Amino acid sequence: MKQQQFTIESNAAIAHQVYELRLSGDAGALATPGQFVNVQVGNAYLRRPLSVAKWDDRGMTLIYKVVGSGTDWLAQQPTGARLDILTGLGTGFDLKKARKHPLLVGGGVGLPPLYQLGIELIKMGCQPRLIMGFASERDVFYQKEFEQLMPVTLMTQDGSAGGKGLVTDASLQAQDSFLYACGPIPMLKALHALPLDGQFSLEERMGCGFGACMGCTIQTAKGPRRVCHEGPVFSKEDLLW
Amino acid sequence: MVNMKVNLLGISLDNPVLGASGCFGFGEEMAALYDLNLLGSFSFKGTTLHPRLGNPLPRIAETPSGMLNAIGLQNPGVHEVIATELPKMKGYFHKPVMANVSGFSVEEYVAVCSLLDQQDQVGWLEVNISCPNVKEGGMSFGTSPELAARVTRAVKAVCKKPIIIKLSPNVTDSALIARACEDEGADGFSLINTYVGMRIDLKTRRPVLANRTGGLSGPAVFPLALHLVRQVYKAVKVPIVGMGGIASAQDVLEMMLAGATAVQVGAASLVNPYACRDIIRDLPLVMEEYGITNISDIIGGMKD
């Protein structure tokens, strides 16, 4: 974990209430896809945990949804504004488990961490594919970006884009070797029931985001674990679903 | 050159700033960020006899200038603390640590205190009779002068180390409870624990916290804490560890003027993990600004 100042390069809506925030600064504390950052927003007391879509030597890209006054403040920040961010938080995905044909499944704003994950998996010689799910067409983002990396199956609940239904309505393929999933809890639970080993990235209300306050602890097969510290990524066998 | 040293119940502190229990874990996460030995000390996570998972989620809700928490005393239990956490702590913290103890019965307080009293690393026992987030025990001991006195008497009988009773602000008269504990030999007091509060989710019309209520901390409670520290300071002769919303070196000086010998910094560390380090860095400059040479000179020095 590091506390760093970042400068906003761009901060633009890419779907309904969803923003892509490009930041320049030192993202070196991020080591594995699935780790997150905690951003100080306006007058809010607590920071906002946000997921990271990608990072490189120059900075990082966050994707967030406006859900309250804190993220609303963030959406109004102009290019050039500075943000105080705790970066490199949590434990990300274990890439060694991927094997040849990992299946990535993301729902809504659960998608961003799967982008950097895809980049890293391809670097390792894997051939990942993605199922992305949204409520409706207006919520869809990063379809093209993902399609440049891997085969993509798009699902929307109302059928306004891609296939109609939930991500679990898109069928598994025989070659799928390992599941990496991030999204709402009901989606993750449904995926957890599939006959495919995998890892799941959880989202919880957090206090500190770095393991000090015990505000986000869940019970796992290995005992109590903090979503912000030992997580947010948990292995299938550790989740008591 | 200013002098930040204070003496807390026979132990000299390099400065009066301690990390507060519940916001510092057992120090390991913070120690990854900076050298904890620059602290006066810290109070580790409230420890009970048996391991506790704590309350269901959500356990955290935001408030104006603060936060509610309803962790519910999640901890690995005193045996695991002694077997694992304290030996690990030796690797990153070389000063006496404050052991925060919670319980659900007088017997539990006695059992946990007597075990931690025997640990060389422990400098003081901070007996938490004020946790607002557990059903039985916890705060109920801290809201009755008789029960608070009973816990104090029982732990004093089995411990050699100084006993600091952590007081609840959720009472009509903190001074009354403090005096009842002082009569039974309490060596000091720490206050405040959190104020009971609540938030409601407008969409679901349910409380945001799964526990319904939680404890309010952060700058929102600082003036309330200051007031209670002053009241207790005037009512007892033993030293006080002041806490509640401290976020700056100036806050530390205010709290000491109100009557605190040392202070704990809690919620501020959750927003800025370097909060204690920054406060200790700023303290000499702010002391000079206000013409303070020895910080211990100002304890209780507010002009009434």
Side-chain angles (χ1 to χ4, degrees):
Chain A
M1 171 172 75
K2 272 189 185 158
Q3 187 175 18
Q4 301 280 353
Q5 299 292 318
F6 287 82
T7 305
I8 297 179
E9 298 287 319
S10 67
N11 185 17
I14 54 171
H16 179 64
Q17 299 284 65
V18 175
Y19 288 73
E20 182 193 57
L21 176 62
R22 293 169 184 253
L23 300 166
S24 62
D26 179 5
L30 289 162
T32 51
Q35 287 186 297
F36 65 99
V37 300
N38 216 358
V39 184
Q40 204 152 55
V41 290
N43 289 328
Y45 188 63
L46 297 173
R47 291 168 183 267
R48 296 297 184 265
L50 300 181
S51 57
V52 184
K54 58 190 162 187
W55 71 83
D56 57 28
D57 299 341
R58 292 187 50 256
M60 61 184 176
T61 300
L62 312 181
I63 291 174
Y64 62 94
K65 186 169 190 175
V66 174
V67 292
S69 57
T71 38
D72 189 48
W73 177 89
L74 191 58
Q76 291 168 36
Q77 297 311 297
T79 298
R82 307 267 287 167
L83 293 173
D84 179 318
I85 299 180
L86 296 178
T87 169
L89 301 176
T91 308
F93 293 104
D94 183 354
L95 278 69
K96 291 192 297 286
K97 294 187 170 183
R99 311 220 308 276
K100 187 68 182 169
H101 295 285
L103 169 63
L104 281 50
V105 181
V109 281
L111 268 170
L114 302 181
Y115 190 77
Q116 184 78 34
L117 176 66
I119 293 172
E120 303 292 335
L121 289 171
I122 291 163
K123 268 191 220 162
M124 290 166 52
C126 301
Q127 293 171 20
R129 72 178 186 104
L130 171 74
I131 302 172
M132 62 195 322
F134 298 93
S136 187
E137 186 180 16
R138 68 176 189 176
D139 304 305
V140 178
F141 64 91
Y142 262 46
Q143 187 181 357
K144 272 192 206 130
E145 284 83 349
F146 273 106
E147 280 172 348
Q148 284 166 7
L149 295 178
M150 64 187 85
V152 172
T153 306
L154 170 66
M155 302 293 289
T156 54
Q157 279 173 268
D158 64 3
S160 53
K164 184 176 188 323
L166 303 170
V167 292
T168 40
D169 294 321
S171 48
L172 287 181
Q173 294 173 4
Q175 62 174 14
D176 292 331
S177 57
F178 193 79
L179 172 68
Y180 293 103
C182 185
I185 293 287
M187 181 195 102
L188 296 182
K189 283 188 174 171
L191 293 167
H192 191 266
L194 296 176
L196 183 61
D197 194 14
Q199 285 197 310
F200 300 79
S201 180
L202 274 54
E203 189 182 291
E204 267 306 337
R205 268 176 195 264
M206 291 174 184
C208 62
F210 53 89
C213 76
M214 319 282 168
C216 60
T217 304
I218 59 164
Q219 184 62 280
T220 73
K222 290 179 175 150
R225 292 289 183 270
R226 295 161 290 187
V227 171
C228 74
H229 199 64
E230 288 87 11
V233 175
F234 292 92
S235 290
K236 180 170 182 168
E237 66 272 18
D238 294 338
L239 291 166
L240 303 172
W241 288 346
Chain B
M1 209 34 202
V2 296
N3 180 6
M4 293 198 288
K5 280 193 164 54
V6 294
N7 189 297
L8 182 62
L9 293 163
I11 298 172
S12 176
L13 303 178
D14 292 332
N15 62 70
V17 180
L18 287 76
S21 179
C23 299
F24 231 76
F26 290 91
E28 196 181 7
E29 294 76 18
M30 296 293 183
L33 299 177
Y34 64 90
D35 180 5
L36 292 193
N37 295 293
L38 61 79
L39 299 171
S41 181
F42 71 96
S43 181
F44 64 62
K45 178 73 189 162
T47 295
T48 52
L49 186 56
H50 302 293
R52 285 181 55 83
L53 175 61
N55 288 326
L57 306 184
R59 298 175 175 181
I60 301 284
E62 196 174 42
T63 72
S65 292
M67 59 182 284
L68 292 168
N69 87 79
I71 308 299
L73 296 175
Q74 182 192 335
N75 78 92
V78 67
H79 297 290
E80 181 68 13
V81 168
I82 290 170
T84 306
E85 297 297 343
L86 286 177
K88 244 194 301 182
M89 201 184 290
K90 276 186 186 158
Y92 53 78
F93 191 61
H94 311 126
K95 295 179 174 181
V97 71
M98 192 174 283
N100 186 287
V101 174
S102 261
F104 293 82
S105 65
V106 174
E107 294 72 28
E108 182 173 4
Y109 280 109
V110 166
V112 179
C113 283
S114 61
L115 286 169
L116 289 170
D117 187 62
Q118 296 161 27
Q119 307 305 313
D120 291 340
Q121 287 157 276
V122 172
W124 318 258
L125 293 153
E126 183 179 45
V127 180
N128 178 10
I129 55 167
S130 45
C131 177
N133 295 324
V134 292
K135 290 268 181 314
E136 307 102 29
M139 193 171 80
S140 60
F141 286 101
T143 52
S144 145
E146 292 75 26
L147 286 175
R150 205 153 94 199
V151 173
T152 306
R153 183 165 61 234
V155 296
K156 275 301 290 178
V158 296
C159 294
K160 294 189 183 71
K161 289 180 173 155
I163 299 294
I164 296 171
I165 302 289
K166 186 166 181 178
L167 298 173
S168 171
N170 301 294
V171 295
T172 314
D173 188 354
S174 294
L176 185 74
I177 290 167
R179 274 194 302 264
C181 297
E182 191 182 32
D183 287 345
E184 295 295 343
D187 299 296
F189 293 98
S190 64
L191 66 153
I192 57 173
N193 206 317
T194 52
Y195 279 90
V196 175
M198 189 170 78
R199 293 301 303 264
I200 299 170
D201 184 320
L202 286 175
K203 277 184 200 149
T204 63
R205 300 192 178 183
R206 291 174 190 279
V208 171
L209 297 169
N211 189 52
R212 295 184 68 245
T213 59
L216 180 65
S217 61
V221 304
F222 179 66
L224 306 169
L226 211 53
H227 170 63
L228 282 187
V229 165
R230 187 64 180 175
Q231 283 194 322
V232 172
Y233 176 75
K234 293 200 128 188
V236 301
K237 295 189 179 65
V238 297
I240 293 168
V241 180
M243 75 194 80
I246 291 173
S248 68
Q250 285 86 349
D251 293 347
V252 173
L253 297 183
E254 275 195 63
M255 191 56 92
M256 292 182 73
L257 282 167
T261 296
V263 303
Q264 291 185 7
V265 176
S269 291
L270 304 181
V271 179
N272 168 18
Y274 298 97
C276 288
R277 183 200 66 179
D278 293 352
I279 289 170
I280 292 164
R281 179 197 62 204
D282 296 345
L283 204 46
L285 300 169
V286 180
M287 285 172 66
E288 274 176 18
E289 186 184 345
Y290 292 101
I292 301 163
T293 309
N294 289 303
I295 203 163
S296 60
D297 291 345
I298 71 165
I299 296 166
M302 177 186 125
K303 295 176 183 169
D304 277 309

